[in-house]
Amino acid sequence: MLLARSLRLASGACSTSSSSMIILKNSRNFLGTPRYYSTPATRNGRPFRLAVIGSGPAGFYTAYRAMSRIQDARVDMYEALPVPFGLVRFGVAPDHPEVKNCQEKFEEVAASPNFTFIGNVSVGTTSNHPDGVTVPLASILRHYNAVVFSYGAPKDRTLGIPGESLTGVYSAREFVGWYNGLPEHADLDPDLTRGEEAVIIGQGNVALDVARMLLEDVDVLRKSDIAEHAIETLAKSKIKRVHIVGRRGPMQAAFTIKEIRELMRLPRVGFHPIDTSLIPPDPKSLPRAPRRLMEILMKGSPTPPSDASKSWSLDFLLSPTAFLPSPSSSSQLAATQFAKTTLSSPFDPQAYALPTSDTVEITSPVAFRSIGYRSAPLPEFSALGIPFNERHGVISNDGRGRVRHEERTRDAAMELGRFNGLYCAGWVKRGPTGVIASTMEDAFSTVDAIAEDWADPTVRFLNEEGEQGSSIGKQEVSGWEGVKKELPGGADKKVVHWDGWKKIDAAERERGAKVGKEREKFTRTAEMLAVLG
Ligand code: FAD
Ligand code: NAP
């Protein structure tokens, strides 16, 4: 609801935010809102052909905004999986169905005659299943005016400490993908029967999602769109106590109020009280958000841990140093070792953690590393000279999504060089943080930069002839039709278009209806493709 309202507000704001916009009276776009083009006309009367790489929120909000803001924009969206929506389908927790309402907007976007979904097609990187299609990025660059990279953050960050590959150490990204039916992690099969305790390293909202999955009543989860294999495993789980461990304190924690409150309110689940010395002495003087958070943490759960069937704690000021193997099996996790930390300034939200020589161990055969997702460059980036900032895990850009690299000018100063027609949006643009609403804002800002550039005759796009600064190109580009001709024989038959996704969607809903769920996801790409015959 909030997101839908946010989208309406955001699209409504277009009508007043830019004086240079051309308002086409009596013209409505496919979403039923008036069109406000910020571009005066197409260049040389040709449509604007945009390739969007990735069909998560960044990709869909980019497509929506481009078709609303750039006259005669044609958007082709490439998606590695046969199914759309990125982390909305494979990240958002199954017990948060309301968050997935944004899919309805994405459906409306896909209904535009100017939009083409090209699913089961990996761009620039080998498809990770045998029936997938791989398209070189170089081929995409030949057939569009512009490309927006919105392929998210499909890897995870690692701790780089001993024992990280022991059995029983899981990445939260894999675990989340597994319970949400992501084919890549369908075989994870976590063993939750070896002991009663679990450790989660990291105190962000993903850590809280993982904790909720471990603590929540399986019969509640059963009604959600959680993968069936996850229900079977969670029903057998012996975990009764979850430690969510952070290297800093409550004032620095990354989780947010709504999510911590939800965990606190789980029926028959108890919260172990926190050390109150970590709470500022006068919480009432704090700004509203941290004040509410501190109040919730101090109040605790309605069920005390002693009366609860399961319990959890927030273990602060602990930085992981090693995963320790079991004496009886050197490949199995037995405990996680942490260095105690102190804070540079305990109540400062920006305080950093300083490790001490004191260590503690938490005994548990299961540990989840939940310290953030990570993006990576596409393999062709280096050959094509497209810059990727490894430190921040983002495509180098000017903050508005224009792909940029630093270059030295004749007088030896550094300036930002431009990559004509290349843009980025979402987690690959700003790093793996932010919710769907902020990803939407971010995609909108990228498209607004593209629209400004398209309206500026001195800015060149892909496949335009002539020198920089001269007038506009002459070359016609044909988008997906051109790319398709360069595919190896028969590969285009494996491509899943929107009507194919709708068939998979209908089949999943039908399977779900039989067991009282909204949908029963296919967890293998072969099963998805089998629906299409
Ligand atoms: P993604 O959603 O990751 O989309 C990227 C897409 O690109 C994917 O579909 C991927 O398959 C595709 N792709 C990758 N590589 C290629 C390639 N080479 N070729 C073609 N396609 C490719 N936000 C909320 O507001 N509420 C929540 O409850 C919430 N829960 C979350 C839970 C988890 C576990 C996580 C990790 C995030 C959650 N978020 C939530 C945040 C939200 O999911 C992100 O803000 C958002 O999904 C980022 O969008 P994106 O499009 O940049 O990336
Ligand atoms: P996050 O919010 O960035 O949290 C990462 C956590 O890992 C932090 O507690 C961080 O601690 C810790 N960490 C990082 N490096 C570490 C290290 N080397 N050692 C120990 N701890 C380390 O990331 P996330 O939880 O993956 O979430 C990603 C984004 O998705 C966030 O914006 C989140 O809000 C969003 N999301 C939203 C929802 C929702 O709205 N319900 C659900 C899930 C995710 P420090 O702070 O000390 O670095």
Side-chain angles (χ1 to χ4, degrees), residues 55-126:
S55 71
F60 267 100
Y61 286 121
T62 293
Y64 162 70
R65 186 74 153 190
M67 291 191 287
S68 305
R69 294 286 305 271
I70 302 174
Q71 199 172 343
D72 214 7
R74 313 274 165 90
V75 178
D76 293 344
M77 178 180 282
Y78 291 83
E79 167 56 52
L81 289 158
V83 294
F85 307 142
L87 285 171
V88 176
R89 178 179 163 108
F90 293 118
V92 170
D95 59 343
H96 284 172
E98 72 291 349
V99 176
K100 301 182 189 206
N101 287 347
C102 57
Q103 290 176 188
E104 288 164 25
K105 285 288 160 201
F106 301 162
E107 295 275 353
E108 290 176 39
V109 172
S112 164
N114 289 333
F115 177 91
T116 305
F117 178 72
I118 303 156
N120 201 26
V121 177
S122 264
V123 173
T125 176
T126 316

Side-chain angles (χ1 to χ4, degrees), residues 157 159 203-206 209 247-248 254 259 370-372 432-434:
R157 295 186 58 220
L159 287 159
Q203 293 186 330
N205 283 331
V206 172
D209 277 358
R247 58 185 169 181
R248 299 192 288 162
E259 285 63 34
S370 183
I371 59 166
T433 58

Side-chain angles (χ1 to χ4, degrees), residues 319-399:
S319 177
T321 46
F323 295 106
L324 306 175
S326 147
S328 58
S329 161
S330 59
S331 60
Q332 169 63 48
L333 175 75
T336 310
Q337 185 190 63
F338 297 88
K340 288 188 181 177
T341 64
T342 56
L343 290 173
S344 55
S345 170
F347 308 131
D348 173 1
Q350 310 305 327
Y352 50 90
L354 300 158
T356 68
S357 53
D358 290 348
T359 59
V360 290
E361 285 175 20
I362 302 179
T363 305
S364 78
V366 182
F368 298 89
R369 182 185 62 222
S370 183
I371 59 166
Y373 286 42
R374 182 171 66 82
S375 193
L378 296 182
E380 283 167 280
F381 275 10
S382 106
L384 293 166
I386 299 171
F388 191 87
N389 182 329
E390 291 285 355
R391 202 165 100 80
H392 295 111
V394 296
I395 296 175
S396 304
N397 70 89
D398 70 348

Side-chain angles (χ1 to χ4, degrees), residues 407-415:
E407 56 186 27
R408 206 167 282 285
T409 59
R410 275 194 205 141
D411 58 1
M414 295 302 284
E415 68 173 21

Side-chain angles (χ1 to χ4, degrees), residues 500 502-508 511 522 525-533:
K502 293 310 294 174
K503 285 183 192 155
I504 296 170
D505 181 33
E508 288 187 340
R511 279 154 49 99
F522 294 111
T525 43
E527 293 171 341
M528 297 172 186
L529 299 174
V531 172
L532 310 177

Side-chain angles (χ1 to χ4, degrees), residues 129-387:
H129 64 96
D131 292 320
V133 179
T134 301
V135 170
L137 177 57
S139 175
I140 301 278
L141 299 184
R142 276 193 288 279
H143 297 288
Y144 290 90
N145 300 111
V147 175
V148 174
F149 298 106
S150 53
Y151 60 83
K155 314 253 181 226
D156 51 11
R157 295 186 58 220
T158 52
L159 287 159
I161 58 173
E164 212 158 351
S165 56
L166 288 174
T167 305
V169 179
Y170 300 99
S171 105
R173 190 185 64 83
E174 290 169 356
F175 186 68
V176 165
W178 168 79
Y179 66 62
N180 274 323
L182 180 63
E184 191 185 341
H185 301 308
D187 294 321
L188 185 72
D189 197 19
D191 186 352
L192 307 178
T193 62
R194 297 184 78 92
E196 295 196 347
E197 308 232 349
V199 159
I200 304 173
I201 298 168
Q203 293 186 330
N205 283 331
V206 172
L208 299 198
D209 277 358
V210 170
R212 226 174 42 256
M213 290 303 117
L214 298 173
L215 294 166
E216 196 156 0
D217 182 344
V218 176
D219 287 330
V220 172
L221 294 175
R222 212 182 284 283
K223 296 183 195 117
S224 73
D225 71 358
I226 191 169
E228 188 53 34
H229 58 218
I231 282 297
E232 282 167 22
T233 300
L234 291 170
K236 285 187 259 165
S237 167
K238 293 206 164 58
I239 293 171
K240 293 198 162 22
R241 169 78 155 87
V242 176
H243 301 259
I244 307 173
V245 187
R247 58 185 169 181
R248 299 192 288 162
M251 282 296 289
Q252 295 81 29
F255 51 67
T256 44
I257 295 173
K258 183 171 161 287
E259 285 63 34
I260 203 82
R261 193 189 283 131
E262 190 179 5
L263 205 45
M264 214 55 103
R265 287 180 181 166
L266 283 183
R268 295 185 299 283
V269 175
F271 174 67
H272 296 267
I274 65 167
D275 173 357
T276 48
S277 71
L278 299 171
I279 305 278
D282 182 15
K284 287 199 164 43
S285 64
L286 293 170
R288 190 173 182 280
R291 189 184 70 232
R292 286 293 301 129
L293 198 57
M294 295 309 118
E295 284 166 359
I296 292 166
L297 294 180
M298 285 191 295
K299 190 170 171 207
S301 58
T303 314
S306 52
D307 297 348
S309 54
K310 292 182 181 177
S311 68
W312 61 289
S313 57
L314 291 165
D315 299 17
F316 294 107
L317 303 184
L318 295 178
S319 177
T321 46
F323 295 106
L324 306 175
S326 147
S328 58
S329 161
S330 59
S331 60
Q332 169 63 48
L333 175 75
T336 310
Q337 185 190 63
F338 297 88
K340 288 188 181 177
T341 64
T342 56
L343 290 173
S344 55
S345 170
F347 308 131
D348 173 1
Q350 310 305 327
Y352 50 90
L354 300 158
T356 68
S357 53
D358 290 348
T359 59
V360 290
E361 285 175 20
I362 302 179
T363 305
S364 78
V366 182
F368 298 89
R369 182 185 62 222
S370 183
I371 59 166
Y373 286 42
R374 182 171 66 82
S375 193
L378 296 182
E380 283 167 280
F381 275 10
S382 106
L384 293 166
I386 299 171

Side-chain angles (χ1 to χ4, degrees), residues 418-442:
R418 174 190 285 273
F419 274 85
N420 299 328
L422 298 192
Y423 299 85
C424 53
W427 277 19
V428 74
K429 168 185 172 188
R430 62 159 202 277
T433 58
V435 291
I436 294 166
S438 49
T439 300
M440 175 190 76
E441 295 296 341
D442 179 80

